[in-house]
Amino acid sequence: MPEGILTGVSAAFAYGIPLSATDLVELLLPAPHGPVKGVLLHHGPTLADDVRDLAGLRIASPTRACWDLVRHRPLADAIVYLDQFLGRRLVTVAELEKYAWERAAEAYWQRFLQATRLADGGAESPGESRGRLMLVTNGVPRPVTQFVITHRGAFIARVDMAWPDYRVALEYDGFEYHSSRSDLARDRVRLNQQVLAGWLVIHVTGDRLRRDLPAVVAEVLAALRKRGWPERPHLSDS
């Protein structure tokens, strides 16, 4: 299909973002087309800067690929990809917001704007993206991602999520168990150093976030309140 444009996860892959084993080829066409086995077809108009040539292939620009990801996937799934686009500096939040406003006449533009404002290029894994999103959409103020904790000028740790004003940190553990006793020992030393530097550190596994989200949210909010969080909405949290 010479008029087709690779978009969505296919464009993400072309820009170096990994696919999952179940992802189909995604193709954007100017007009509706009958089904094609193994291909996920979308159709619709494109803007002038929506298409790039990459090694002879027509690829959606990063902004257009993000737009199609948000249009055709659950919000959490799309934000996992937006985080990676941002983290790899393929696009900026400002560029995504500008694209949303350029599409303001279309049905999905507000959803895209919402996804853009929830995305964060600091996430280093899909699990971290999903975990942050679960917390923020359930009342936890937005964290700073990949925050570096120091004490008296010395490096202590880089944590997955932090609320620096209150010295509260959250470490996301994607796996339930450490691979060795030495890993566990190293992590315990690191935790001790964080505590001695005045930080309250919460550890959360991906499994617990899925099974026990209300309790995790309650723990994070309790930690923030303990450290003086006023529990008032801030513009930066919206």
Side-chain angles (χ1 to χ4, degrees):
M1 299 181 186
E3 73 277 21
I5 302 165
L6 287 173
T7 191
V9 297
S10 297
F13 181 73
Y15 291 120
I17 298 171
L19 294 172
S20 77
T22 58
D23 285 322
L24 299 176
V25 173
E26 280 191 73
L27 198 62
L28 174 66
L29 299 172
H33 190 285
V36 177
K37 186 177 180 180
V39 179
L40 187 60
L41 293 176
H42 310 304
H43 71 274
T46 57
L47 300 180
D49 296 329
D50 277 350
V51 186
R52 292 187 178 178
D53 183 281
L54 192 63
L57 293 174
R58 285 162 52 85
I59 309 290
S61 68
T63 49
R64 177 63 200 229
C66 288
W67 170 266
D68 287 329
L69 284 161
V70 173
R71 283 188 65 201
H72 301 295
R73 275 173 173 70
L75 189 63
D77 293 347
I79 287 174
V80 167
Y81 279 99
L82 265 61
D83 282 1
Q84 294 189 60
F85 270 96
L86 291 169
R88 292 167 186 262
R89 294 182 172 83
L90 293 165
V91 71
T92 66
V93 170
E95 288 169 342
L96 292 176
E97 287 187 342
K98 179 175 180 288
Y99 194 85
W101 287 105
E102 290 172 348
R103 293 276 187 169
E106 300 190 30
Y108 287 88
W109 83 275
Q110 288 182 319
R111 187 169 189 265
F112 185 71
L113 193 60
Q114 177 193 16
T116 294
R117 291 172 176 174
L118 286 169
D120 189 315
E124 293 190 335
S125 71
E128 286 183 26
S129 294
R130 294 181 189 278
R132 184 195 73 250
L133 187 62
M134 291 166 113
L135 294 173
V136 170
T137 55
N138 281 277
V140 174
R142 184 166 182 152
V144 177
T145 53
Q146 308 308 321
F147 183 78
V148 174
I149 295 175
T150 61
H151 184 54
R152 295 176 180 172
F155 173 84
I156 299 296
R158 181 165 63 91
V159 294
D160 298 322
M161 303 178 210
W163 295 265
D165 290 345
Y166 310 104
R167 291 198 175 191
V168 173
L170 184 144
E171 294 276 47
Y172 174 83
D173 300 321
F175 298 95
E176 294 298 329
Y177 302 103
H178 294 269
S179 59
S180 69
R181 293 176 67 88
S182 62
D183 289 342
L184 179 60
R186 184 179 63 249
D187 284 354
R188 289 297 177 262
V189 170
R190 183 171 178 262
L191 177 58
N192 290 345
Q193 290 174 336
Q194 290 170 289
V195 172
L196 290 170
W199 283 74
L200 198 164
V201 184
I202 298 170
H203 283 261
V204 178
T205 64
D207 181 62
R208 186 164 177 241
L209 270 171
R210 291 186 294 271
R211 292 186 298 103
D212 202 17
L213 178 61
V216 174
V217 168
E219 288 171 10
V220 175
L221 293 179
L224 289 167
R225 291 187 197 104
K226 182 180 178 68
R227 292 303 183 88
W229 177 55
E231 202 167 359
R232 293 193 303 269
H234 298 277
L235 291 176
S236 59
D237 300 336
S238 60

